[in-house]
Amino acid sequence: MSARHKLNAAYLHGSLIIAGIIGGISESFIAFGITFAVLLIGNIQCGDIRLNRRRPRR
């Protein structure tokens, strides 16, 4: 497993844990889903989760 995959998994698991805490406190599955979606999209937009490989410039 490459370093990129490990970092992506760490950010994904972190988002799941935070969303689980918020969903558990509010006792709402909808709050869990919305929180998880917001965190996941935010991590992708910030570049913390990289979906594509970076291709070397020529």
Side-chain angles (χ1 to χ4, degrees), residues 1 3 12 19 31 34 41-42 45-46 49-50 53 56-57:
M1 183 179 262
L12 180 71
I34 291 172
I41 291 169
Q45 288 292 344
C46 289
I49 295 178
R50 294 183 221 137
R53 293 183 183 183
R57 294 184 184 185

Side-chain angles (χ1 to χ4, degrees), residues 2-56:
S2 69
R4 181 174 58 99
H5 287 105
K6 289 179 183 178
L7 284 171
N8 286 348
Y11 280 109
L12 180 71
H13 290 134
S15 297
L16 277 171
I17 290 169
I18 292 171
I21 291 170
I22 291 174
I25 289 172
S26 65
E27 297 179 2
S28 171
F29 186 73
I30 293 173
F32 166 78
I34 291 172
T35 304
F36 180 65
V38 168
L39 288 172
L40 193 62
I41 291 169
N43 284 331
I44 291 171
Q45 288 292 344
C46 289
D48 294 334
I49 295 178
R50 294 183 221 137
L51 300 176
N52 298 327
R53 293 183 183 183
R54 293 185 181 185
R55 295 186 178 144

